[in-house]
Amino acid sequence: MSATIEYVRFEATDPAELTAHREHLVTLLRERYGTGFLGAHLARFEDGSFLDFIVWDSPETAARAAEEMPGAPAAKGFFSAIGAVHEMRHAEVLHSTRP
């Protein structure tokens, strides 16, 4: 299975607000991208910054979502909770394993 990882490291001033909007964002991704959206993880580093780790079926789906979602009115709650973005990258998955 081929897949693409989207990696975004960013700041957020209110972690509670960010996580409160997270489930809605994931629902939007499932609705809009269907089987192209393979999963997502939100984590916080020791320095307080956040990592959004999203798995897509292809680089094309990842690029489309990166372009469309930040400006989508339905996703405004999540994206308005994000402060400075330190890094955003896409990477091809070369190997995966599942239990």
Side-chain angles (χ1 to χ4, degrees):
M1 174 180 120
S2 177
T4 297
I5 291 171
E6 179 175 299
Y7 165 99
V8 186
R9 192 173 69 84
F10 60 91
E11 300 293 327
T13 56
D14 188 345
E17 179 186 6
L18 180 73
T19 56
H21 292 287
R22 179 66 175 174
E23 197 59 42
H24 179 66
L25 176 69
V26 169
T27 298
L28 290 172
L29 296 175
R30 283 187 184 117
E31 289 172 357
R32 185 171 284 192
Y33 303 102
T35 58
F37 171 69
L38 301 178
H41 304 276
L42 179 65
R44 185 170 18 181
F45 289 104
E46 290 178 0
D47 69 0
S49 65
F50 290 85
L51 168 70
D52 201 352
F53 186 90
I54 303 175
V55 184
W56 300 100
D57 68 338
S58 70
E60 294 80 18
T61 307
R64 186 175 137 220
E67 184 177 321
E68 295 173 350
M69 291 309 293
K76 184 179 179 183
F78 181 80
F79 286 100
S80 67
I82 292 177
V85 175
H86 298 291
E87 183 176 17
M88 179 181 177
R89 299 183 71 166
H90 291 138
E92 176 187 7
V93 174
L94 298 177
H95 179 265
S96 292
T97 187
R98 295 180 188 215

